[in-house]
Amino acid sequence: MRNFKDLEPFRQRIRMLRDGMEGETGEVNMTISVFPEGGHLIAGAYNNIGILVDNGLGQGVKVDNLELVDETGKVIRSNITTNLFGMGKTGFVVENQKKYFLQRKRPDGSLVQTEIPEAVEGWLGLRIDNNGKDQVLLTLLASEETFSKKEGDVHTIALYQDDFIHLEDITVNADEPVLSMDRKELPHGVLTAVLFDLELRPISHRMFFNHLEDGKVLQALEIEHCFSEFGDSLQVDLIVPKGVENAIAISLSALPRASVAYNPDQSIASSFLIRPYVKNPYQDHYFLEGQDRRKRYELDNRLLIEGWGRYDWDSRKQQEVTLAFEMETGIPFKGKILDADLNEESQVSLIAELSAAMGFEELDGDKTFSGNMQLFAGDSLGVSLISKKSKLRKPQAELAFYNNMDGLNGYVKMGAKVMKREEVMDLEMDVEEPLNLSDRIIALEEVTVVEKVQKTNRTEMFVPRGTLLPISEGRIIGDKEIKRFGSVISYLYKLGYHRSIGKDSEGFDVDILLSPKSNQRVAVDETLLNLPLSRVQAIYHDVDKKVYVSIVLRSSPYERTEDRNKFLKFAITNGYARPQDYFTPNYRDYEGMVFKNYATLGWKANIPVNSELPISISIPIKTQREVVLYLEGMTGEGQLVALSKVLNLVQ
């Protein structure tokens, strides 16, 4: 939302390598960075420091032989380790006015060395112990001399996250005062602790992650799978454990197990729980997947290294937010029904042609109505009057859309013209209209898919590189097909396919679909064959041997022609950009490295999962022995689903 400057676009780090670069850079240009807990080293006290080792390209290096030495060369700590992100932690008593170094020997005997920041005297710091199951311990850090001088002084510790803030006074005494916080009293996720002095100036900062065990934030999901009747596809059953009342909207991606095409830095959980509060991007999804004690310790080190975080204390000051743009609540509209009989008709029905968005608005006493809807550019909005007997009729109406071009100071009217009959017919598109080959080609390369799409396209064709022979084509299902053919199988009969009786793996008779050219069995989910054709958006098949059929179901219910005539349609010229439909290429080779490394087996969005009955999703196997599922989603209460599961398909 452009009212707020702190929001960032999607960010993904791209790793660039050439032969010999990785090994050479890892040793020659290695750097070691040190991050004192709370922002400063405190002289005369036991301090924790975060450590980050990288290879000079910003990539972490895992090591196990770091040494902490003083200015005389005396080893204070040895065998200090870092994890796969190059992050580690150690602690030691810092003597006043003494220098310390972190170092590592290269294979050639030379040293990579960095000096630890100089400690400050007479200063209070903040140390956090985040290892407890139920409690977080916040400890004041200082030398014995400093504790004696500041005995009885009252400092303040603030814990905050977004609109949550908790203030607690802590009195300085020589016993190193400890403040214990119950995890249940704090919000889940990243919090920032700030220590204030007597004048309420922030003197120490520390970020930490509050883990809760009651499952209020991360929602579990039960996953079962089985094979279809013929073993060519996978049925995945999803259900939420008992006790969750509302359905969860889930996105599911299915990839070959060996795929390297999907390796994001963030998951939905880390994007909500970690990313908004930190500066530097890491593979934060790692810290929340299969979380255990080790990963919690590593996440604590990651936040210690992060320092004061993206939002310093000044960002907590109450400031008035000036809204420069209207919040994204939809495209506003206002209309009037000229021939409405308010005694019999008091409501209008609104349906978008392409997005299937629906709305109902009440008529005012002057026959006007208003509202807002998620409308796409190039779509049309149909308006119909509803009588008290729930009958629809086509009205005489005026309609205007609005666009807030000048912030919140005033709306600017956008003209809305009534679509003529020929324009409506052009929008619905004639399925029999022939197309030029150049208008319907999709070129497939090894990794990149370049798609040329036109709104009038009725046919998709795939052409292998270097040839003009199409290997796959199909047709969008429209009114003419639906009126002529009652079911999917009857439409396929028209294309030349036919049914026969075959045997399944257990010897039972089953219906199978055969190719019209070779009588080979056609790769299609037989459960779809008896569906009404009105449920289908498009049907694709290969041109050469006709040994597969791909059936694409409609994302919204089919609207009958007679119902459309009851709506007066208005063109939408300045709506939202229409989202792209997911497109699964038809691969010719399911055993090659291109398919295994970069292909996708399936993707489904907005899957409603509840705790009453499992919902089943069909995924084609395409000869793969292992499949990995990525599932992400959110409940209405803000609980997150973020998990992956590997399915072994060897029967």
Side-chain angles (χ1 to χ4, degrees), residues 332-606:
F333 58 82
K334 186 173 183 180
K336 185 174 184 178
I337 305 299
L338 303 178
D339 59 343
D341 182 356
L342 296 180
N343 294 323
E344 298 293 332
E345 301 163 321
S346 60
Q347 192 178 49
V348 293
S349 172
L350 304 118
I351 298 180
E353 179 75 20
L354 301 180
S355 68
M358 298 182 63
F360 298 92
E361 302 294 343
E362 299 292 332
L363 288 176
D364 294 331
D366 58 355
K367 302 183 180 180
T368 62
F369 62 94
S370 61
N372 56 71
M373 295 175 65
Q374 299 290 330
L375 303 173
F376 298 131
D379 202 348
S380 67
L381 183 64
V383 179
S384 181
L385 261 176
I386 306 177
S387 70
K388 293 182 178 180
K389 296 181 179 180
S390 300
K391 291 185 177 181
L392 302 177
R393 78 169 178 88
K394 187 175 183 179
Q396 297 180 16
E398 295 177 347
L399 184 68
F401 300 106
Y402 290 81
N403 185 23
N404 189 2
M405 301 294 290
D406 301 321
L408 296 178
N409 298 325
Y411 285 115
V412 177
K413 180 178 178 181
M414 300 187 299
K417 69 172 184 176
V418 178
M419 298 185 70
K420 299 179 181 179
R421 177 175 177 80
E422 55 269 22
E423 293 175 317
V424 175
M425 293 300 294
D426 181 61
L427 182 67
E428 295 172 358
M429 297 174 284
D430 186 354
V431 297
E432 300 299 331
E433 180 183 355
L435 298 171
N436 295 326
L437 183 63
S438 61
D439 293 334
R440 51 186 174 159
I441 286 178
I442 298 176
L444 295 184
E445 298 180 1
E446 285 190 351
V447 179
T448 306
V449 178
V450 180
E451 182 175 358
K452 182 178 181 181
V453 180
Q454 291 192 0
K455 301 304 180 186
T456 57
N457 274 12
R458 308 312 302 162
T459 304
E460 306 278 2
M461 302 189 75
F462 308 111
V463 180
R465 196 178 185 88
T467 178
L468 295 178
L469 177 63
I471 64 171
S472 177
E473 72 174 16
R475 187 165 297 282
I476 306 297
I477 302 301
D479 293 337
K480 294 181 179 180
E481 285 83 6
I482 293 173
K483 289 181 179 180
R484 185 176 177 184
F485 306 101
S487 64
V488 172
I489 187 61
S490 62
Y491 179 79
L492 293 176
Y493 283 161
K494 174 219 174 187
L495 299 178
Y497 294 92
H498 58 281
R499 254 179 170 169
S500 182
I501 300 295
K503 303 284 186 180
D504 65 8
S505 59
E506 298 180 356
F508 290 97
D509 289 342
V510 293
D511 286 340
I512 58 176
L513 190 67
L514 298 179
S515 165
K517 292 190 176 183
S518 61
N519 279 334
Q520 295 183 53
R521 182 180 160 202
V522 175
V524 65
D525 188 345
E526 284 80 5
T527 60
L528 302 177
L529 298 180
N530 291 318
L531 283 178
L533 198 57
S534 59
R535 290 282 310 279
V536 174
Q537 177 180 338
I539 293 179
Y540 302 95
H541 58 86
D542 58 326
V543 177
D544 187 13
K545 297 182 180 179
K546 292 193 175 181
V547 293
Y548 76 81
V549 171
S550 178
I551 299 173
V552 181
L553 299 181
R554 292 181 182 274
S555 58
S556 57
Y558 172 72
E559 183 186 0
R560 296 179 300 175
T561 307
E562 54 268 27
D563 290 336
R564 299 176 196 159
N565 295 330
K566 297 178 181 179
F567 287 84
L568 183 64
K569 296 190 176 182
F570 294 85
I572 301 169
T573 56
N574 292 293
Y576 294 114
R578 190 176 306 160
Q580 296 291 322
D581 290 333
Y582 177 71
F583 174 76
T584 303
N586 287 289
Y587 300 92
R588 302 192 69 180
D589 180 11
Y590 299 143
E591 297 296 332
M593 294 305 298
V594 171
F595 182 87
K596 292 181 179 180
N597 287 341
Y598 302 105
T600 177
L601 299 174
W603 178 77
K604 302 285 185 181
N606 296 323

Side-chain angles (χ1 to χ4, degrees), residues 2-281:
R2 293 169 61 197
N3 285 319
F4 309 100
K5 64 181 181 180
D6 288 321
L7 295 182
E8 287 188 349
F10 171 80
R11 177 185 290 178
Q12 176 73 40
R13 298 207 300 177
I14 301 175
R15 187 176 183 183
M16 308 290 290
L17 295 177
R18 67 172 183 266
D19 290 344
M21 174 182 289
E22 190 170 18
E24 176 184 346
T25 306
E27 295 294 341
V28 176
N29 298 324
M30 178 179 292
T31 62
I32 304 173
S33 303
V34 178
F35 303 87
E37 183 174 18
H40 304 280
L41 284 181
I42 307 298
Y46 186 91
N47 291 254
N48 289 321
I49 58 172
I51 303 167
L52 179 62
V53 180
D54 69 65
N55 63 357
L57 295 176
Q59 300 164 357
V61 178
K62 184 177 182 179
V63 299
D64 58 5
N65 58 349
L66 285 175
E67 291 182 336
L68 173 67
V69 299
D70 63 15
E71 56 193 5
T72 66
K74 179 183 177 181
V75 176
I76 309 298
R77 292 281 187 273
S78 61
N79 298 323
I80 301 171
T81 63
T82 62
N83 66 359
L84 60 92
F85 299 112
M87 298 178 185
K89 175 183 175 182
T90 192
F92 64 106
V93 176
V94 178
E95 298 182 28
N96 190 23
Q97 296 183 349
K98 197 169 188 179
K99 293 184 178 180
Y100 297 90
F101 302 86
L102 269 177
Q103 63 185 27
R104 177 176 182 263
K105 286 186 178 180
R106 297 189 180 99
D108 61 4
S110 61
L111 282 179
V112 181
Q113 190 179 75
T114 187
E115 183 176 351
I116 293 177
E118 185 178 353
V120 295
E121 298 181 61
W123 195 275
L124 283 175
L126 184 64
R127 183 171 64 224
I128 291 182
D129 182 353
N130 195 29
N131 296 318
K133 179 179 180 181
D134 302 316
Q135 304 290 324
V136 180
L137 303 181
L138 299 92
T139 305
L140 291 185
L141 187 65
S143 65
E144 293 182 4
E145 182 181 357
T146 302
F147 275 130
S148 298
K149 288 182 178 180
K150 297 181 179 292
E151 181 84 27
D153 289 351
V154 178
H155 286 52
T156 302
I157 293 179
L159 299 175
Y160 68 86
Q161 178 199 94
D162 300 331
D163 57 353
F164 169 87
I165 185 169
H166 176 83
L167 299 173
E168 189 93 15
D169 289 338
I170 186 168
T171 303
V172 178
N173 61 62
D175 296 329
E176 293 189 6
V178 177
L179 180 64
S180 177
M181 295 297 301
D182 190 340
R183 291 191 184 277
K184 294 182 180 180
E185 296 178 358
L186 303 174
H188 184 272
V190 174
L191 287 100
T192 301
V194 185
L195 176 64
F196 294 90
D197 64 11
L198 294 174
E199 286 76 32
L200 293 181
R201 294 173 300 187
I203 59 175
S204 186
H205 291 232
R206 169 74 151 89
M207 298 172 66
F208 67 97
F209 195 94
N210 182 34
H211 306 277
L212 294 178
E213 300 292 346
D214 54 10
K216 290 184 178 180
V217 175
L218 294 177
Q219 175 61 56
L221 202 65
E222 296 177 3
I223 306 173
E224 300 292 341
H225 73 280
C226 62
F227 293 96
S228 64
E229 186 176 8
F230 295 103
D232 58 354
S233 62
L234 194 66
Q235 177 181 312
V236 177
D237 296 328
L238 307 175
I239 191 169
V240 179
K242 294 292 184 182
V244 180
E245 296 182 359
N246 298 327
I248 305 177
I250 298 294
S251 168
L252 182 149
S253 301
L255 303 177
R257 178 67 175 91
S259 176
V260 297
Y262 184 72
N263 185 28
D265 288 342
Q266 307 292 333
S267 67
I268 188 173
S270 64
S271 296
F272 276 92
L273 299 178
I274 299 178
R275 186 71 195 106
Y277 308 101
V278 295
K279 295 177 181 177
N280 300 313

Side-chain angles (χ1 to χ4, degrees), residues 284-296:
D284 289 323
H285 68 91
Y286 162 84
F287 300 107
L288 298 179
E289 292 178 357
Q291 199 174 83
D292 53 20
R293 186 177 181 86
R294 176 179 60 84
K295 284 195 175 182
R296 292 183 179 185

